PDB file of all heavy atoms in Angstrom:
ATOM      1  N   LYS A  72       0.835  -1.209   0.000  1.00 98.00           N
ATOM      2  CA  LYS A  72       0.000   0.000   0.000  1.00 98.00           C
ATOM      3  C   LYS A  72       0.865   1.253   0.000  1.00 98.00           C
ATOM      4  O   LYS A  72       1.930   1.284   0.622  1.00 98.00           O
ATOM      5  CB  LYS A  72      -0.928   0.026   1.217  1.00 98.00           C
ATOM      6  CG  LYS A  72      -1.858   1.246   1.268  1.00 98.00           C
ATOM      7  CD  LYS A  72      -2.621   1.349   2.575  1.00 98.00           C
ATOM      8  CE  LYS A  72      -3.678   0.278   2.693  1.00 98.00           C
ATOM      9  NZ  LYS A  72      -4.535   0.485   3.901  1.00 98.00           N
ATOM     10  N   LEU A  73       0.377   2.284  -0.715  1.00 98.00           N
ATOM     11  CA  LEU A  73       1.014   3.597  -0.704  1.00 98.00           C
ATOM     12  C   LEU A  73      -0.069   4.644  -0.497  1.00 98.00           C
ATOM     13  O   LEU A  73      -1.052   4.679  -1.227  1.00 98.00           O
ATOM     14  CB  LEU A  73       1.749   3.874  -2.015  1.00 98.00           C
ATOM     15  CG  LEU A  73       2.305   5.299  -2.161  1.00 98.00           C
ATOM     16  CD1 LEU A  73       3.461   5.522  -1.187  1.00 98.00           C
ATOM     17  CD2 LEU A  73       2.762   5.572  -3.597  1.00 98.00           C
ATOM     18  N   GLU A  74       0.119   5.493   0.514  1.00 98.00           N
ATOM     19  CA  GLU A  74      -0.808   6.593   0.780  1.00 98.00           C
ATOM     20  C   GLU A  74      -0.054   7.910   0.630  1.00 98.00           C
ATOM     21  O   GLU A  74       0.937   8.135   1.332  1.00 98.00           O
ATOM     22  CB  GLU A  74      -1.379   6.484   2.189  1.00 98.00           C
ATOM     23  CG  GLU A  74      -2.155   5.204   2.454  1.00 98.00           C
ATOM     24  CD  GLU A  74      -2.523   5.058   3.916  1.00 98.00           C
ATOM     25  OE1 GLU A  74      -3.425   5.776   4.368  1.00 98.00           O
ATOM     26  OE2 GLU A  74      -1.871   4.230   4.599  1.00 98.00           O
ATOM     27  N   VAL A  75      -0.518   8.751  -0.281  1.00 98.00           N
ATOM     28  CA  VAL A  75       0.120  10.040  -0.524  1.00 98.00           C
ATOM     29  C   VAL A  75      -0.835  11.158  -0.136  1.00 98.00           C
ATOM     30  O   VAL A  75      -1.960  11.227  -0.654  1.00 98.00           O
ATOM     31  CB  VAL A  75       0.541  10.199  -1.995  1.00 98.00           C
ATOM     32  CG1 VAL A  75       1.112  11.602  -2.241  1.00 98.00           C
ATOM     33  CG2 VAL A  75       1.574   9.146  -2.370  1.00 98.00           C
ATOM     34  N   THR A  76      -0.398  12.014   0.788  1.00 97.00           N
ATOM     35  CA  THR A  76      -1.200  13.153   1.223  1.00 97.00           C
ATOM     36  C   THR A  76      -0.806  14.381   0.397  1.00 97.00           C
ATOM     37  O   THR A  76       0.381  14.725   0.314  1.00 97.00           O
ATOM     38  CB  THR A  76      -0.985  13.443   2.716  1.00 97.00           C
ATOM     39  OG1 THR A  76      -1.379  12.287   3.469  1.00 97.00           O
ATOM     40  CG2 THR A  76      -1.801  14.636   3.167  1.00 97.00           C
ATOM     41  N   PHE A  77      -1.801  15.031  -0.194  1.00 96.00           N
ATOM     42  CA  PHE A  77      -1.534  16.201  -1.022  1.00 96.00           C
ATOM     43  C   PHE A  77      -1.527  17.463  -0.163  1.00 96.00           C
ATOM     44  O   PHE A  77      -2.233  17.542   0.847  1.00 96.00           O
ATOM     45  CB  PHE A  77      -2.571  16.297  -2.145  1.00 96.00           C
ATOM     46  CG  PHE A  77      -2.315  15.315  -3.252  1.00 96.00           C
ATOM     47  CD1 PHE A  77      -2.473  13.953  -3.045  1.00 96.00           C
ATOM     48  CD2 PHE A  77      -1.887  15.751  -4.499  1.00 96.00           C
ATOM     49  CE1 PHE A  77      -2.221  13.041  -4.063  1.00 96.00           C
ATOM     50  CE2 PHE A  77      -1.620  14.856  -5.512  1.00 96.00           C
ATOM     51  CZ  PHE A  77      -1.789  13.493  -5.297  1.00 96.00           C
ATOM     52  N   PRO A  78      -0.723  18.463  -0.563  1.00 93.00           N
ATOM     53  CA  PRO A  78      -0.529  19.649   0.288  1.00 93.00           C
ATOM     54  C   PRO A  78      -1.823  20.428   0.509  1.00 93.00           C
ATOM     55  O   PRO A  78      -2.526  20.754  -0.452  1.00 93.00           O
ATOM     56  CB  PRO A  78       0.501  20.476  -0.492  1.00 93.00           C
ATOM     57  CG  PRO A  78       0.414  19.985  -1.899  1.00 93.00           C
ATOM     58  CD  PRO A  78       0.050  18.541  -1.814  1.00 93.00           C
ATOM     59  N   SER A  79      -2.117  20.740   1.773  1.00 88.00           N
ATOM     60  CA  SER A  79      -3.312  21.510   2.104  1.00 88.00           C
ATOM     61  C   SER A  79      -3.067  23.007   2.012  1.00 88.00           C
ATOM     62  O   SER A  79      -4.008  23.784   1.855  1.00 88.00           O
ATOM     63  CB  SER A  79      -3.783  21.150   3.517  1.00 88.00           C
ATOM     64  OG  SER A  79      -2.752  21.389   4.470  1.00 88.00           O
ATOM     65  N   ASP A  80      -1.787  23.413   2.110  1.00 89.00           N
ATOM     66  CA  ASP A  80      -1.483  24.837   2.010  1.00 89.00           C
ATOM     67  C   ASP A  80      -1.509  25.321   0.564  1.00 89.00           C
ATOM     68  O   ASP A  80      -1.650  26.515   0.312  1.00 89.00           O
ATOM     69  CB  ASP A  80      -0.121  25.142   2.641  1.00 89.00           C
ATOM     70  CG  ASP A  80       1.000  24.299   2.060  1.00 89.00           C
ATOM     71  OD1 ASP A  80       0.693  23.267   1.419  1.00 89.00           O
ATOM     72  OD2 ASP A  80       2.177  24.662   2.231  1.00 89.00           O
ATOM     73  N   HIS A  81      -1.369  24.403  -0.388  1.00 92.00           N
ATOM     74  CA  HIS A  81      -1.482  24.722  -1.813  1.00 92.00           C
ATOM     75  C   HIS A  81      -2.341  23.650  -2.486  1.00 92.00           C
ATOM     76  O   HIS A  81      -1.824  22.802  -3.216  1.00 92.00           O
ATOM     77  CB  HIS A  81      -0.107  24.799  -2.486  1.00 92.00           C
ATOM     78  CG  HIS A  81       0.739  25.940  -1.997  1.00 92.00           C
ATOM     79  ND1 HIS A  81       1.674  25.779  -0.999  1.00 92.00           N
ATOM     80  CD2 HIS A  81       0.779  27.247  -2.352  1.00 92.00           C
ATOM     81  CE1 HIS A  81       2.269  26.941  -0.777  1.00 92.00           C
ATOM     82  NE2 HIS A  81       1.742  27.840  -1.575  1.00 92.00           N
ATOM     83  N   PRO A  82      -3.651  23.670  -2.231  1.00 92.00           N
ATOM     84  CA  PRO A  82      -4.527  22.626  -2.786  1.00 92.00           C
ATOM     85  C   PRO A  82      -4.561  22.669  -4.309  1.00 92.00           C
ATOM     86  O   PRO A  82      -4.451  23.727  -4.926  1.00 92.00           O
ATOM     87  CB  PRO A  82      -5.898  22.955  -2.193  1.00 92.00           C
ATOM     88  CG  PRO A  82      -5.821  24.404  -1.821  1.00 92.00           C
ATOM     89  CD  PRO A  82      -4.391  24.655  -1.444  1.00 92.00           C
ATOM     90  N   LEU A  83      -4.697  21.481  -4.904  1.00 94.00           N
ATOM     91  CA  LEU A  83      -4.730  21.352  -6.361  1.00 94.00           C
ATOM     92  C   LEU A  83      -6.164  21.065  -6.801  1.00 94.00           C
ATOM     93  O   LEU A  83      -6.824  20.173  -6.268  1.00 94.00           O
ATOM     94  CB  LEU A  83      -3.802  20.223  -6.807  1.00 94.00           C
ATOM     95  CG  LEU A  83      -2.331  20.389  -6.400  1.00 94.00           C
ATOM     96  CD1 LEU A  83      -1.543  19.129  -6.732  1.00 94.00           C
ATOM     97  CD2 LEU A  83      -1.716  21.599  -7.085  1.00 94.00           C
ATOM     98  N   SER A  84      -6.635  21.829  -7.786  1.00 89.00           N
ATOM     99  CA  SER A  84      -8.022  21.684  -8.229  1.00 89.00           C
ATOM    100  C   SER A  84      -8.236  20.418  -9.049  1.00 89.00           C
ATOM    101  O   SER A  84      -9.348  19.907  -9.140  1.00 89.00           O
ATOM    102  CB  SER A  84      -8.430  22.904  -9.066  1.00 89.00           C
ATOM    103  OG  SER A  84      -7.599  23.038 -10.213  1.00 89.00           O
ATOM    104  N   SER A  85      -7.177  19.909  -9.666  1.00 93.00           N
ATOM    105  CA  SER A  85      -7.299  18.712 -10.506  1.00 93.00           C
ATOM    106  C   SER A  85      -6.236  17.690 -10.122  1.00 93.00           C
ATOM    107  O   SER A  85      -5.038  17.986 -10.161  1.00 93.00           O
ATOM    108  CB  SER A  85      -7.147  19.086 -11.985  1.00 93.00           C
ATOM    109  OG  SER A  85      -7.169  17.933 -12.803  1.00 93.00           O
ATOM    110  N   VAL A  86      -6.684  16.490  -9.733  1.00 96.00           N
ATOM    111  CA  VAL A  86      -5.787  15.373  -9.409  1.00 96.00           C
ATOM    112  C   VAL A  86      -6.380  14.125 -10.047  1.00 96.00           C
ATOM    113  O   VAL A  86      -7.440  13.648  -9.638  1.00 96.00           O
ATOM    114  CB  VAL A  86      -5.632  15.182  -7.892  1.00 96.00           C
ATOM    115  CG1 VAL A  86      -4.775  13.951  -7.601  1.00 96.00           C
ATOM    116  CG2 VAL A  86      -5.026  16.420  -7.246  1.00 96.00           C
ATOM    117  N   LEU A  87      -5.709  13.585 -11.079  1.00 97.00           N
ATOM    118  CA  LEU A  87      -6.227  12.440 -11.825  1.00 97.00           C
ATOM    119  C   LEU A  87      -5.178  11.325 -11.860  1.00 97.00           C
ATOM    120  O   LEU A  87      -4.215  11.398 -12.634  1.00 97.00           O
ATOM    121  CB  LEU A  87      -6.593  12.859 -13.256  1.00 97.00           C
ATOM    122  CG  LEU A  87      -7.633  13.971 -13.397  1.00 97.00           C
ATOM    123  CD1 LEU A  87      -7.769  14.371 -14.859  1.00 97.00           C
ATOM    124  CD2 LEU A  87      -8.970  13.524 -12.833  1.00 97.00           C
ATOM    125  N   PRO A  88      -5.333  10.300 -11.046  1.00 97.00           N
ATOM    126  CA  PRO A  88      -4.368   9.188 -11.063  1.00 97.00           C
ATOM    127  C   PRO A  88      -4.524   8.352 -12.339  1.00 97.00           C
ATOM    128  O   PRO A  88      -5.629   8.175 -12.845  1.00 97.00           O
ATOM    129  CB  PRO A  88      -4.735   8.364  -9.828  1.00 97.00           C
ATOM    130  CG  PRO A  88      -5.652   9.222  -9.023  1.00 97.00           C
ATOM    131  CD  PRO A  88      -6.328  10.132  -9.984  1.00 97.00           C
ATOM    132  N   GLN A  89      -3.411   7.861 -12.838  1.00 97.00           N
ATOM    133  CA  GLN A  89      -3.432   6.936 -13.972  1.00 97.00           C
ATOM    134  C   GLN A  89      -3.591   5.510 -13.443  1.00 97.00           C
ATOM    135  O   GLN A  89      -2.944   5.141 -12.470  1.00 97.00           O
ATOM    136  CB  GLN A  89      -2.133   7.040 -14.769  1.00 97.00           C
ATOM    137  CG  GLN A  89      -2.062   6.092 -15.952  1.00 97.00           C
ATOM    138  CD  GLN A  89      -0.775   6.266 -16.739  1.00 97.00           C
ATOM    139  OE1 GLN A  89      -0.320   7.374 -16.959  1.00 97.00           O
ATOM    140  NE2 GLN A  89      -0.173   5.165 -17.140  1.00 97.00           N
ATOM    141  N   PRO A  90      -4.465   4.711 -14.060  1.00 97.00           N
ATOM    142  CA  PRO A  90      -4.618   3.326 -13.599  1.00 97.00           C
ATOM    143  C   PRO A  90      -3.287   2.577 -13.637  1.00 97.00           C
ATOM    144  O   PRO A  90      -2.501   2.727 -14.576  1.00 97.00           O
ATOM    145  CB  PRO A  90      -5.618   2.733 -14.596  1.00 97.00           C
ATOM    146  CG  PRO A  90      -6.373   3.902 -15.132  1.00 97.00           C
ATOM    147  CD  PRO A  90      -5.381   5.040 -15.174  1.00 97.00           C
ATOM    148  N   VAL A  91      -3.041   1.782 -12.604  1.00 97.00           N
ATOM    149  CA  VAL A  91      -1.833   0.970 -12.508  1.00 97.00           C
ATOM    150  C   VAL A  91      -2.274  -0.479 -12.377  1.00 97.00           C
ATOM    151  O   VAL A  91      -3.033  -0.826 -11.464  1.00 97.00           O
ATOM    152  CB  VAL A  91      -0.967   1.384 -11.305  1.00 97.00           C
ATOM    153  CG1 VAL A  91       0.274   0.496 -11.213  1.00 97.00           C
ATOM    154  CG2 VAL A  91      -0.572   2.849 -11.400  1.00 97.00           C
ATOM    155  N   GLU A  92      -1.792  -1.318 -13.280  1.00 96.00           N
ATOM    156  CA  GLU A  92      -2.207  -2.723 -13.285  1.00 96.00           C
ATOM    157  C   GLU A  92      -1.822  -3.402 -11.963  1.00 96.00           C
ATOM    158  O   GLU A  92      -0.694  -3.277 -11.487  1.00 96.00           O
ATOM    159  CB  GLU A  92      -1.554  -3.450 -14.459  1.00 96.00           C
ATOM    160  CG  GLU A  92      -2.012  -4.885 -14.622  1.00 96.00           C
ATOM    161  CD  GLU A  92      -1.410  -5.557 -15.841  1.00 96.00           C
ATOM    162  OE1 GLU A  92      -0.676  -4.885 -16.599  1.00 96.00           O
ATOM    163  OE2 GLU A  92      -1.672  -6.765 -16.036  1.00 96.00           O
ATOM    164  N   GLY A  93      -2.788  -4.095 -11.392  1.00 97.00           N
ATOM    165  CA  GLY A  93      -2.540  -4.816 -10.142  1.00 97.00           C
ATOM    166  C   GLY A  93      -2.764  -3.996  -8.892  1.00 97.00           C
ATOM    167  O   GLY A  93      -2.507  -4.477  -7.785  1.00 97.00           O
ATOM    168  N   TRP A  94      -3.277  -2.759  -9.048  1.00 98.00           N
ATOM    169  CA  TRP A  94      -3.477  -1.884  -7.898  1.00 98.00           C
ATOM    170  C   TRP A  94      -4.857  -1.232  -7.944  1.00 98.00           C
ATOM    171  O   TRP A  94      -5.311  -0.794  -8.995  1.00 98.00           O
ATOM    172  CB  TRP A  94      -2.406  -0.791  -7.865  1.00 98.00           C
ATOM    173  CG  TRP A  94      -1.018  -1.314  -7.628  1.00 98.00           C
ATOM    174  CD1 TRP A  94      -0.197  -1.895  -8.540  1.00 98.00           C
ATOM    175  CD2 TRP A  94      -0.304  -1.307  -6.391  1.00 98.00           C
ATOM    176  NE1 TRP A  94       0.987  -2.259  -7.964  1.00 98.00           N
ATOM    177  CE2 TRP A  94       0.954  -1.912  -6.647  1.00 98.00           C
ATOM    178  CE3 TRP A  94      -0.589  -0.855  -5.103  1.00 98.00           C
ATOM    179  CZ2 TRP A  94       1.908  -2.065  -5.649  1.00 98.00           C
ATOM    180  CZ3 TRP A  94       0.365  -1.005  -4.110  1.00 98.00           C
ATOM    181  CH2 TRP A  94       1.599  -1.603  -4.385  1.00 98.00           C
ATOM    182  N   ASP A  95      -5.513  -1.175  -6.776  1.00 98.00           N
ATOM    183  CA  ASP A  95      -6.741  -0.402  -6.614  1.00 98.00           C
ATOM    184  C   ASP A  95      -6.369   1.016  -6.196  1.00 98.00           C
ATOM    185  O   ASP A  95      -5.394   1.213  -5.454  1.00 98.00           O
ATOM    186  CB  ASP A  95      -7.644  -1.029  -5.546  1.00 98.00           C
ATOM    187  CG  ASP A  95      -8.312  -2.310  -6.036  1.00 98.00           C
ATOM    188  OD1 ASP A  95      -8.615  -2.383  -7.246  1.00 98.00           O
ATOM    189  OD2 ASP A  95      -8.509  -3.232  -5.217  1.00 98.00           O
ATOM    190  N   ILE A  96      -7.166   1.993  -6.669  1.00 98.00           N
ATOM    191  CA  ILE A  96      -6.870   3.395  -6.379  1.00 98.00           C
ATOM    192  C   ILE A  96      -8.086   4.040  -5.712  1.00 98.00           C
ATOM    193  O   ILE A  96      -9.212   3.921  -6.194  1.00 98.00           O
ATOM    194  CB  ILE A  96      -6.513   4.174  -7.659  1.00 98.00           C
ATOM    195  CG1 ILE A  96      -5.333   3.518  -8.374  1.00 98.00           C
ATOM    196  CG2 ILE A  96      -6.180   5.628  -7.326  1.00 98.00           C
ATOM    197  CD1 ILE A  96      -5.008   4.149  -9.715  1.00 98.00           C
ATOM    198  N   LYS A  97      -7.835   4.727  -4.614  1.00 98.00           N
ATOM    199  CA  LYS A  97      -8.890   5.456  -3.917  1.00 98.00           C
ATOM    200  C   LYS A  97      -8.487   6.918  -3.803  1.00 98.00           C
ATOM    201  O   LYS A  97      -7.391   7.232  -3.324  1.00 98.00           O
ATOM    202  CB  LYS A  97      -9.123   4.871  -2.524  1.00 98.00           C
ATOM    203  CG  LYS A  97     -10.205   5.605  -1.732  1.00 98.00           C
ATOM    204  CD  LYS A  97     -10.372   5.030  -0.333  1.00 98.00           C
ATOM    205  CE  LYS A  97     -11.418   5.800   0.471  1.00 98.00           C
ATOM    206  NZ  LYS A  97     -11.563   5.268   1.842  1.00 98.00           N
ATOM    207  N   VAL A  98      -9.378   7.811  -4.257  1.00 97.00           N
ATOM    208  CA  VAL A  98      -9.131   9.247  -4.198  1.00 97.00           C
ATOM    209  C   VAL A  98     -10.006   9.849  -3.104  1.00 97.00           C
ATOM    210  O   VAL A  98     -11.231   9.683  -3.122  1.00 97.00           O
ATOM    211  CB  VAL A  98      -9.426   9.912  -5.547  1.00 97.00           C
ATOM    212  CG1 VAL A  98      -9.226  11.421  -5.452  1.00 97.00           C
ATOM    213  CG2 VAL A  98      -8.535   9.326  -6.645  1.00 97.00           C
ATOM    214  N   THR A  99      -9.383  10.541  -2.155  1.00 96.00           N
ATOM    215  CA  THR A  99     -10.100  11.156  -1.037  1.00 96.00           C
ATOM    216  C   THR A  99     -10.124  12.668  -1.207  1.00 96.00           C
ATOM    217  O   THR A  99      -9.079  13.294  -1.409  1.00 96.00           O
ATOM    218  CB  THR A  99      -9.439  10.806   0.304  1.00 96.00           C
ATOM    219  OG1 THR A  99      -9.385   9.385   0.447  1.00 96.00           O
ATOM    220  CG2 THR A  99     -10.210  11.401   1.466  1.00 96.00           C
ATOM    221  N   LYS A 100     -11.337  13.252  -1.127  1.00 94.00           N
ATOM    222  CA  LYS A 100     -11.498  14.702  -1.221  1.00 94.00           C
ATOM    223  C   LYS A 100     -11.940  15.264   0.124  1.00 94.00           C
ATOM    224  O   LYS A 100     -12.632  14.608   0.884  1.00 94.00           O
ATOM    225  CB  LYS A 100     -12.527  15.060  -2.293  1.00 94.00           C
ATOM    226  CG  LYS A 100     -12.093  14.737  -3.711  1.00 94.00           C
ATOM    227  CD  LYS A 100     -13.132  15.216  -4.723  1.00 94.00           C
ATOM    228  CE  LYS A 100     -12.678  14.945  -6.145  1.00 94.00           C
ATOM    229  NZ  LYS A 100     -13.674  15.442  -7.136  1.00 94.00           N
ATOM    230  N   SER A 101     -11.547  16.510   0.362  1.00 92.00           N
ATOM    231  CA  SER A 101     -11.936  17.195   1.594  1.00 92.00           C
ATOM    232  C   SER A 101     -12.356  18.623   1.273  1.00 92.00           C
ATOM    233  O   SER A 101     -11.914  19.206   0.270  1.00 92.00           O
ATOM    234  CB  SER A 101     -10.777  17.213   2.607  1.00 92.00           C
ATOM    235  OG  SER A 101     -10.370  15.892   2.932  1.00 92.00           O
ATOM    236  N   ARG A 102     -13.213  19.169   2.139  1.00 90.00           N
ATOM    237  CA  ARG A 102     -13.680  20.541   1.939  1.00 90.00           C
ATOM    238  C   ARG A 102     -12.563  21.527   2.292  1.00 90.00           C
ATOM    239  O   ARG A 102     -11.831  21.337   3.272  1.00 90.00           O
ATOM    240  CB  ARG A 102     -14.917  20.808   2.791  1.00 90.00           C
ATOM    241  CG  ARG A 102     -15.595  22.139   2.480  1.00 90.00           C
ATOM    242  CD  ARG A 102     -16.953  22.209   3.135  1.00 90.00           C
ATOM    243  NE  ARG A 102     -17.852  21.201   2.565  1.00 90.00           N
ATOM    244  CZ  ARG A 102     -18.549  21.390   1.447  1.00 90.00           C
ATOM    245  NH1 ARG A 102     -18.440  22.526   0.765  1.00 90.00           N
ATOM    246  NH2 ARG A 102     -19.348  20.439   0.999  1.00 90.00           N
ATOM    247  N   LEU A 103     -12.452  22.558   1.478  1.00 87.00           N
ATOM    248  CA  LEU A 103     -11.402  23.552   1.663  1.00 87.00           C
ATOM    249  C   LEU A 103     -11.854  24.659   2.617  1.00 87.00           C
ATOM    250  O   LEU A 103     -13.025  25.043   2.622  1.00 87.00           O
ATOM    251  CB  LEU A 103     -11.009  24.177   0.319  1.00 87.00           C
ATOM    252  CG  LEU A 103     -10.474  23.213  -0.740  1.00 87.00           C
ATOM    253  CD1 LEU A 103     -10.256  23.954  -2.057  1.00 87.00           C
ATOM    254  CD2 LEU A 103      -9.169  22.581  -0.273  1.00 87.00           C
ATOM    255  N   ALA A 104     -10.910  25.161   3.399  1.00 80.00           N
ATOM    256  CA  ALA A 104     -11.211  26.284   4.285  1.00 80.00           C
ATOM    257  C   ALA A 104     -11.516  27.532   3.474  1.00 80.00           C
ATOM    258  O   ALA A 104     -12.416  28.321   3.811  1.00 80.00           O
ATOM    259  CB  ALA A 104     -10.035  26.527   5.233  1.00 80.00           C
ATOM    260  N   GLU A 105     -10.772  27.709   2.376  1.00 80.00           N
ATOM    261  CA  GLU A 105     -11.005  28.828   1.465  1.00 80.00           C
ATOM    262  C   GLU A 105     -11.176  28.272   0.055  1.00 80.00           C
ATOM    263  O   GLU A 105     -10.272  27.598  -0.449  1.00 80.00           O
ATOM    264  CB  GLU A 105      -9.839  29.825   1.505  1.00 80.00           C
ATOM    265  CG  GLU A 105      -9.649  30.503   2.856  1.00 80.00           C
ATOM    266  CD  GLU A 105      -8.526  31.523   2.824  1.00 80.00           C
ATOM    267  OE1 GLU A 105      -7.978  31.744   1.718  1.00 80.00           O
ATOM    268  OE2 GLU A 105      -8.191  32.080   3.880  1.00 80.00           O
ATOM    269  N   PRO A 106     -12.305  28.530  -0.596  1.00 78.00           N
ATOM    270  CA  PRO A 106     -12.554  27.997  -1.944  1.00 78.00           C
ATOM    271  C   PRO A 106     -11.511  28.486  -2.952  1.00 78.00           C
ATOM    272  O   PRO A 106     -10.970  29.593  -2.836  1.00 78.00           O
ATOM    273  CB  PRO A 106     -13.950  28.533  -2.293  1.00 78.00           C
ATOM    274  CG  PRO A 106     -14.577  28.842  -0.969  1.00 78.00           C
ATOM    275  CD  PRO A 106     -13.451  29.293  -0.089  1.00 78.00           C
ATOM    276  N   LEU A 107     -11.235  27.630  -3.926  1.00 77.00           N
ATOM    277  CA  LEU A 107     -10.356  28.008  -5.024  1.00 77.00           C
ATOM    278  C   LEU A 107     -11.186  28.540  -6.186  1.00 77.00           C
ATOM    279  O   LEU A 107     -12.315  28.097  -6.413  1.00 77.00           O
ATOM    280  CB  LEU A 107      -9.547  26.793  -5.502  1.00 77.00           C
ATOM    281  CG  LEU A 107      -8.528  26.190  -4.544  1.00 77.00           C
ATOM    282  CD1 LEU A 107      -7.946  24.922  -5.164  1.00 77.00           C
ATOM    283  CD2 LEU A 107      -7.416  27.177  -4.245  1.00 77.00           C
ATOM    284  N   GLU A 108     -10.616  29.483  -6.934  1.00 76.00           N
ATOM    285  CA  GLU A 108     -11.275  29.983  -8.135  1.00 76.00           C
ATOM    286  C   GLU A 108     -10.484  29.513  -9.346  1.00 76.00           C
ATOM    287  O   GLU A 108      -9.325  29.885  -9.540  1.00 76.00           O
ATOM    288  CB  GLU A 108     -11.376  31.510  -8.126  1.00 76.00           C
ATOM    289  CG  GLU A 108     -12.191  32.050  -9.299  1.00 76.00           C
ATOM    290  CD  GLU A 108     -12.503  33.522  -9.166  1.00 76.00           C
ATOM    291  OE1 GLU A 108     -12.364  34.078  -8.057  1.00 76.00           O
ATOM    292  OE2 GLU A 108     -12.895  34.127 -10.179  1.00 76.00           O
ATOM    293  N   VAL A 109     -11.106  28.663 -10.165  1.00 72.00           N
ATOM    294  CA  VAL A 109     -10.454  28.085 -11.333  1.00 72.00           C
ATOM    295  C   VAL A 109     -11.347  28.323 -12.547  1.00 72.00           C
ATOM    296  O   VAL A 109     -12.504  27.899 -12.567  1.00 72.00           O
ATOM    297  CB  VAL A 109     -10.205  26.577 -11.151  1.00 72.00           C
ATOM    298  CG1 VAL A 109      -9.509  25.990 -12.380  1.00 72.00           C
ATOM    299  CG2 VAL A 109      -9.385  26.313  -9.900  1.00 72.00           C
TER     300      VAL A 109
END
């Protein structure tokens, strides 16, 4: 297993993992303290 935490001080509006053979992928989203404008 590999768990990667993305930076909360510089949140990214788009995060798209590429499928990897032999691995399940779970993407976790959280509400932002300050909304991003994209």
Side-chain angles (χ1 to χ4, degrees):
K72 181 188 289 187
L73 173 69
E74 300 172 74
V75 176
T76 300
F77 284 68
S79 58
D80 55 343
H81 294 95
L83 301 172
S84 60
S85 176
V86 176
L87 301 174
Q89 179 178 319
V91 179
E92 185 177 357
W94 294 79
D95 287 327
I96 303 174
K97 179 182 178 181
V98 177
T99 303
K100 293 184 178 181
S101 301
R102 189 168 295 276
L103 300 175
E105 296 183 5
L107 294 174
E108 186 170 344
V109 181

